[in-house]
């Protein structure tokens, strides 16, 4: 009888914890996570986990269908010679890695889509090129003679490599993080997984525009999942290896570096139980692990100083200026008034570095304070990742609009407890990249992806509309305002005689609006960590 009462109580506790996060309290989110942790060994949780396999397959199938649907639309630079776009860049990298000696990978014809991503991307391009060459050998014969090849067979083969990479790396990592955050609540676990699997910007950029963000984001997500489940120092080692691999696939994963550093440093200090010597030893061991992992990712480039210098020169584009396209960060939003682009790029890179470090400090310090309190240790990891990613996106040097994806993913992971904020941020991430997606011809399917994303989250969160707290309501209201501005500003400005004299006025206003939204989202994440 007592056991039955306890089971009913546990079920009532699980249902009541599905309410929204919006008040900005990390304890609200983490209390439900803690209840999941306390009930993980209950017999009824094992029974429910058995019933999660079919919904998992449904979510996975829906995610795959969305990706295949997006892939049917044009890709970046399609039919736009002479340089085409990112699709041609990825094809060219495959051709380079297949037909050029490795010592020339980062030197070969830099004026035409030369390699400018870390070595794991180059090795990944080599593997993908082997697959594509089976079906379209002409596209991989030579990086010179194969330029500009555009056939349906090539498009299908290239799209397939992205889908395989997504399903093999990102999907397992997303489910691992969802399981770590919600170990015994099946509904929340599946909702979190669905939100990450259907994140609309990832679908639009990788399977529409054409990139392989799923690999880097997947590796970083797997590293976060290991940290959430952390039990001993060995977990830190595995997490560090996975995260280093994420950086060496796409250096944009550096957005998470302060978060991983702060969390691991705090864990090492707490594990030492006040012993300074033990703390230093643990941190030193992690440092050795990071160095060895980096050397392994660099491969032969780590053995030759000149090759390593070539890689570094390609990864750090200081000559391009503080930003290129209109991106929703501080430097672009304030440039019409403060004219940042008139300053020397070297000086601006240092200013951006200082501003980014200062912006990352609050999330890093708060994660160290909150991580050891027990009840909120699970929630702190994705919140800290989101906080530092937004800090980089808002203040770093040479930010691309696609970089907001690295903040959107950890926010999507918390969708079961912050559904409206997750939906709002997901929608904003797509709308702030509207110019890019419109240029590629994938904006309509990207909007559809937002709708599917929102429906998936809402269907997994019962009763969420009955308890929308003030802070989350502010985020949603801001997002709705951004949506309205996105579709009304072109009409208003189009009717005004501004076009010939101020051709970029709409893009500048758009960047300022979405910068305001992302700045508010950054403060919202910090508030969750503070409280």
């Amino acid at each position: 009888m007592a056991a039955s009462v306890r089971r009913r109580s546990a079920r009532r506790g699980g249902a009541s914890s599905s309410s929204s996060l919006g008040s900005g309290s990390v304890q609200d989110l983490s209390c439900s996570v803690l209840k999941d942790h306390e009930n993980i060994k209950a017999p009824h949780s094992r029974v429910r986990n058995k019933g999660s396999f079919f919904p998992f397959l449904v979510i996975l199938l829906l995610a795959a269908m969305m990706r295949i649907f997006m892939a049917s639309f044009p890709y970046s630079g399609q039919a736009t010679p002479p340089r085409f776009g990112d699709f041609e860049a990825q094809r060219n990298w495959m051709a380079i890695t297949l037909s050029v000696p490795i010592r020339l990978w980062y030197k070969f014809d830099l004026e035409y889509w030369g390699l400018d991503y870390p070595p794991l991307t180059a090795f990944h391009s080599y593997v993908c090129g082997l697959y594509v060459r089976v079906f379209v050998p002409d596209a991989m014969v030579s990086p010179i003679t194969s330029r500009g090849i555009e056939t349906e067979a090539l498009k299908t083969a290239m799209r397939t490599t992205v889908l395989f990479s997504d399903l093999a790396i990102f999907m397992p990592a997303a489910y691992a993080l969802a399981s770590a955050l919600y170990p015994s609540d099946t509904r929340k676990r599946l909702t979190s997984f669905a939100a990450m699997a259907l994140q609309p910007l990832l679908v639009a950029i990788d399977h529409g525009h054409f990139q392989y963000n799923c690999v880097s984001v997947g590796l970083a997500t797997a590293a976060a999942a290991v940290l959430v489940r952390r039990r001993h120092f060995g977990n830190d080692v595995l997490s560090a290896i996975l995260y280093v691999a994420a950086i060496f696939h796409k250096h944009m994963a550096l957005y998470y570096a302060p978060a991983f550093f702060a969390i691991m440093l705090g864990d090492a200090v707490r594990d030492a139980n006040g012993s300074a010597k033990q703390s230093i030893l643990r941190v030193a061991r992690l440092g050795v692990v990071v160095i060895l992992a980096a050397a392994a990712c660099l491969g032969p480039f780590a053995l030759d100083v000149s090759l390593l210098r070539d890689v570094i020169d390609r990864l750090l584009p200081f000559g391009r200026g503080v930003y290129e396209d209109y991106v929703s960060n501080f430097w672009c939003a304030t440039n019409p008034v403060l004219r940042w682009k008139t300053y020397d790029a070297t000086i601006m890179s240092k200013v951006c570095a200082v501003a980014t470090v200062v912006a990352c400090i609050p999330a890093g310090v708060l994660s160290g304070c909150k991580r050891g309190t027990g009840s909120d240790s699970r929630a702190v990891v994705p919140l800290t990742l989101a906080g530092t990613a937004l800090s980089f996106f808002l203040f770093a040097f040479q930010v691309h609009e696609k970089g907001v994806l690295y903040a959107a993913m950890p926010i999507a992971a918390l969708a079961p407890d912050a559904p409206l904020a997750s939906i709002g941020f997901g929608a904003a991430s797509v709308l702030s990249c509207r110019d890019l997606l419109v240029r590629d011809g994938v904006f309509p399917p990207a909007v559809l992806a937002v709708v599917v994303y929102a429906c998936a989250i809402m269907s997994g969160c019962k009763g969420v509309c009955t308890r929308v707290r003030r802070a989350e309501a502010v985020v949603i209201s801001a997002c709705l305002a951004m949506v309205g501005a996105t579709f009304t500003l072109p009409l208003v400005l189009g009717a005004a005689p501004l076009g010939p004299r101020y051709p970029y006025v709409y893009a500048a206003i758009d960047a300022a609006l979405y910068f305001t939204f992302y700045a508010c989202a950054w403060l919202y994440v910090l508030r969750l960590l503070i409280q």
Side-chain angles (χ1 to χ4, degrees):
M1 179 67 178
S4 176
V5 171
R6 283 195 298 272
R7 286 194 295 269
R8 288 197 297 270
S9 175
R11 285 194 293 269
R12 287 196 298 271
S16 64
S17 64
S18 64
S19 59
S20 159
L21 223 193
S23 67
S25 171
V26 125
Q27 285 85 354
D28 292 340
L29 181 151
S30 54
C31 283
S32 63
V33 170
L34 181 62
K35 289 176 184 176
D36 294 339
H37 179 60
E38 291 172 344
N39 294 331
I40 189 171
K41 295 182 180 180
H44 72 275
S45 68
R46 290 194 294 269
V47 174
R48 287 189 300 171
N49 287 341
K50 291 180 181 179
S52 66
F53 183 67
F54 179 72
F56 165 78
L57 287 181
V58 171
I59 294 170
L60 192 61
L61 179 61
L62 177 60
M65 290 175 62
M66 283 300 303
R67 284 155 169 76
I68 294 171
F69 173 71
M70 186 70 68
S72 66
F73 285 80
Y75 49 77
S76 171
Q78 183 169 331
T80 57
R83 287 179 58 83
F84 302 93
D86 275 4
F87 180 91
E88 170 64 8
Q90 298 287 347
R91 186 214 58 77
N92 192 55
W93 294 352
M94 293 178 193
I96 288 174
T97 54
L98 285 174
S99 57
V100 174
I102 192 169
R103 66 179 183 277
L104 299 178
W105 281 5
Y106 285 89
K107 294 180 179 179
F108 186 84
D109 198 6
L110 301 183
E111 296 301 317
Y112 186 82
W113 297 120
L115 261 170
D116 57 2
Y117 274 25
L120 279 190
T121 287
F123 299 140
H124 180 237
S125 295
Y126 177 82
V127 174
C128 292
L130 291 176
Y131 172 83
V132 173
R133 188 167 63 182
V134 173
F135 301 96
V136 195
D138 292 345
M140 298 292 134
V141 170
S142 165
I144 299 295
T145 61
S146 59
R147 287 181 182 177
I149 290 181
E150 292 186 307
T151 64
E152 281 301 314
L154 177 62
K155 177 181 177 180
T156 301
M158 294 276 285
R159 293 288 201 193
T160 303
T161 63
V162 183
L163 183 62
F164 285 168
S165 300
D166 205 332
L167 295 176
I169 298 175
F170 175 72
M171 290 299 175
Y175 190 75
L177 180 56
S179 299
L181 289 171
Y182 307 101
S184 64
D185 192 317
T186 302
R187 188 179 189 88
K188 285 189 171 186
R189 181 170 62 255
L190 291 173
T191 302
S192 177
F193 172 62
M196 288 185 280
L198 295 169
Q199 211 292 324
L201 187 59
L202 178 66
V203 175
I205 294 299
D206 278 14
H207 301 272
H209 176 81
F210 197 91
Q211 284 191 347
Y212 294 92
N213 293 286
C214 55
V215 177
S216 177
V217 173
L219 291 169
T221 301
V226 174
L227 275 189
V228 173
R229 286 187 178 273
R230 184 184 187 275
R231 294 292 180 270
H232 48 75
F233 181 73
N235 296 133
D236 288 339
V237 172
L238 177 58
S239 181
I241 292 172
L242 289 169
Y243 178 58
V244 169
I247 293 175
F248 278 89
H249 188 272
K250 189 166 187 176
H251 46 302
M252 203 178 290
L254 282 168
Y255 285 17
Y256 295 146
F260 278 100
F261 174 78
I263 292 170
M264 290 184 180
L265 178 63
D267 289 344
V269 171
R270 277 187 294 274
D271 288 349
N273 296 320
S275 171
K277 181 179 179 180
Q278 288 298 318
S279 298
I280 294 173
L281 284 175
R282 287 178 178 272
V283 173
R285 289 171 187 167
L286 276 178
V288 171
V289 169
V290 169
I291 292 172
L292 292 177
C297 291
L298 284 169
F301 299 101
L303 303 176
D304 189 315
V305 175
S306 62
L307 292 181
L308 184 60
R309 188 181 297 114
D310 292 337
V311 174
I312 295 174
D313 289 343
R314 292 297 295 163
L315 298 184
L316 302 177
F318 291 121
R320 298 183 186 177
V322 65
Y323 67 88
E324 290 182 76
D325 295 329
Y326 281 87
V327 58
S328 305
N329 71 353
F330 173 78
W331 312 110
C332 183
T334 58
N335 185 68
V337 177
L338 301 177
R339 316 301 294 177
W340 301 111
K341 298 203 78 170
T342 61
Y343 293 93
D344 182 72
T346 303
I347 295 175
M348 283 305 304
S349 66
K350 296 176 181 177
V351 172
C352 291
V354 172
T356 304
V357 170
V358 171
C360 287
I361 288 174
V365 172
L366 290 169
S367 70
C369 296
K370 294 287 186 178
R371 172 78 164 162
T373 59
S375 63
D376 55 5
S377 61
R378 292 176 184 271
V380 161
V381 174
L383 286 174
T384 308
L385 293 176
T388 61
L390 280 169
S391 299
F392 269 80
F393 181 76
L394 292 172
F395 299 107
F397 186 84
Q398 262 293 313
V399 168
H400 196 283
E401 62 261 49
K402 298 188 291 287
V404 75
L405 172 63
Y406 285 79
M409 197 54 67
I411 292 176
L414 296 175
D417 294 290
L420 298 184
S422 298
I423 293 171
F425 198 93
S429 68
V430 168
L431 294 175
S432 64
C433 295
R434 184 194 63 261
D435 288 345
L436 174 70
L437 300 176
V438 168
R439 188 163 62 244
D440 293 339
V442 296
F443 184 63
V447 172
L448 177 62
V450 172
V451 174
V452 174
Y453 171 74
C455 291
I457 293 176
M458 295 302 289
S459 65
C461 299
K462 288 183 177 179
V464 67
C465 295
T466 62
R467 294 188 64 187
V468 180
R469 295 171 181 170
R470 184 169 55 187
E472 195 169 5
V474 170
V475 174
I476 293 301
S477 299
C479 181
L480 291 175
M482 297 299 104
V483 173
T486 296
F487 291 103
T488 58
L489 272 176
L491 301 177
V492 174
L493 296 178
L498 298 176
R501 188 174 179 183
Y502 304 103
Y504 303 111
V505 64
Y506 172 60
I509 294 175
D510 207 38
L513 285 173
Y514 281 100
F515 161 71
T516 304
F517 175 83
Y518 290 132
C520 291
W522 175 60
L523 295 174
Y524 174 69
V525 169
L526 293 181
R527 185 184 176 190
L528 296 180
L529 282 169
I530 291 172
Q531 297 184 358

